[in-house]
Amino acid sequence: MENLQYRKEFVSYSKRVLLLWGAFIVCLLFTSILVGWFGSFIDNRLALIFSSSALQNVCVFILPALLTAYYITPSPAAFLGLSAKAEWRQIAFVVAVMLLSMPALNYLVYLNEAIDLPDSALEQWLRATEDAARAVTDELLAAESVGTLVMAVLVAGVLTGFGEELFFRGAQQGIFLHRGINGHVAVWVTAILFSALHFQFYGFFPRMLLGAFFGYMAWKGGSLWLPVTAHALNNSIAVIFGYMAVHNPSLASINSFGVPEEGGFPVFALVSLVATVAFITLLWRKMVVK
């Protein structure tokens, strides 16, 4: 990692971590209050969902990352990986991997959702959390307006992709890497935190793998814009395909491509996995590593 100069107050690694997560907690509490206040005078349900989501991304993820980077070093953009441009060959690699891996990821999502936990208060809470998140998503996708779809892509796709990557890969993984922690450990610990903080267990493992991929792109590619592109693309595809499936039931299978019929062999998922691994293995150093 590039050697950066740190302000003397934040030479300590623990102080950098405390600053980031302290800002996260304060901003999270502030946002919760603000969203509740918004709900008291915004009558339009969709407008409330979009404004709340945008506010959460800006206040909970973007603001703490920027404040942390600004206070710990005179070079905040370099610390977060924002100053390095992504090259076209790297972006092409990201897009290809995301598309190739879709059937395999769909099957992994299916396997994760099929995990049967012992009946308990925890299992009920996890299911309720998943159902609540899915209900909000379904509400957005059910809207007839194309403008709503565009807003969903901009907020749930682009803004969320940027905000979460800035916080997790830019700030948190950056703190790990600039301390000299083993890069692989930094990537995977950050990926676990990233997935865990979504509080959606039945999507934990595919989200963790995506987080690891985003982390390696940031680490080896040298630019935060690579995982931002991958994350935004992943979310946007999910929104667009979900919208298409809701408004054209004949396309519903597109969201489960790679998942076989009950008792069937996951042929497409296996082909997707092999193709993705082969593609990454053959072209990683040529197209990604700087």
Side-chain angles (χ1 to χ4, degrees):
M1 292 295 293
E2 176 184 352
N3 291 322
L4 293 177
Q5 178 183 357
Y6 290 98
R7 302 185 195 280
K8 60 181 180 180
E9 299 90 343
F10 292 100
V11 171
S12 167
Y13 163 76
S14 60
K15 286 184 177 180
R16 300 176 210 165
V17 174
L18 286 173
L19 176 60
L20 176 65
W21 287 97
F24 172 84
I25 293 171
V26 170
C27 289
L28 179 62
L29 294 174
F30 172 75
T31 303
S32 300
I33 295 171
L34 203 55
V35 167
W37 178 65
F38 273 14
S40 65
F41 68 87
I42 297 181
D43 295 327
N44 186 289
R45 175 66 176 167
L46 291 180
L48 178 61
I49 293 174
F50 282 131
S51 59
S52 299
S53 181
L55 187 66
Q56 175 179 305
N57 278 292
V58 172
C59 293
V60 179
F61 294 115
I62 296 176
L63 188 58
L66 292 178
L67 285 174
T68 299
Y70 175 79
Y71 278 107
I72 69 176
T73 175
S75 307
F79 172 80
L80 293 169
L82 293 172
S83 59
K85 295 180 179 179
E87 299 177 4
W88 283 110
R89 61 184 173 88
Q90 295 176 311
I91 294 175
F93 180 90
V94 165
V95 173
V97 169
M98 297 307 297
L99 294 177
L100 280 173
S101 64
M102 281 178 58
L105 282 173
N106 285 342
Y107 186 59
L108 181 57
V109 169
Y110 165 77
L111 292 177
N112 198 162
E113 291 178 344
I115 293 176
D116 188 16
L117 296 175
D119 190 18
S120 64
L122 174 61
E123 196 272 344
Q124 293 174 12
W125 178 77
L126 291 171
R127 288 291 183 189
T129 303
E130 293 282 335
D131 292 341
R134 186 175 291 109
V136 173
T137 302
D138 291 344
E139 193 173 351
L140 289 178
L141 298 179
E144 294 289 342
S145 170
V146 176
T148 302
L149 173 61
V150 173
M151 282 297 298
V153 169
L154 290 176
V155 175
V158 179
L159 184 59
T160 298
F162 176 74
E164 293 185 355
E165 289 311 303
L166 192 70
F167 184 88
F168 289 102
R169 256 59 65 177
Q172 180 57 79
Q173 185 171 296
I175 289 174
F176 283 150
L177 292 174
H178 285 287
R179 185 177 185 257
I181 290 177
N182 178 275
H184 300 288
V185 173
V187 166
W188 282 100
V189 170
T190 304
I192 292 170
L193 287 172
F194 163 70
S195 190
L197 278 176
H198 280 77
F199 297 105
Q200 293 175 298
F201 170 76
Y202 294 100
F204 179 85
F205 294 105
R207 188 178 294 109
M208 180 186 68
L209 286 179
L210 280 173
F213 175 65
F214 299 156
Y216 280 111
M217 292 300 300
W219 176 31
K220 294 297 186 179
S223 172
L224 188 69
W225 297 111
L226 293 174
V228 166
T229 299
H231 197 151
L233 178 63
N234 176 74
N235 289 13
S236 298
I237 288 175
V239 169
I240 294 170
F241 283 4
Y243 181 88
M244 292 168 59
V246 168
H247 294 277
N248 189 345
S250 65
L251 298 175
S253 60
I254 196 170
N255 286 319
S256 58
F257 181 61
V259 179
E261 295 183 1
E262 188 173 353
F265 186 78
V267 176
F268 291 112
L270 183 59
V271 171
S272 169
L273 176 62
V274 172
T276 302
V277 171
F279 185 83
I280 292 175
T281 302
L282 293 172
L283 298 176
W284 177 259
R285 291 187 178 277
K286 183 178 180 180
M287 297 186 70
V288 176
V289 180
K290 286 189 175 180

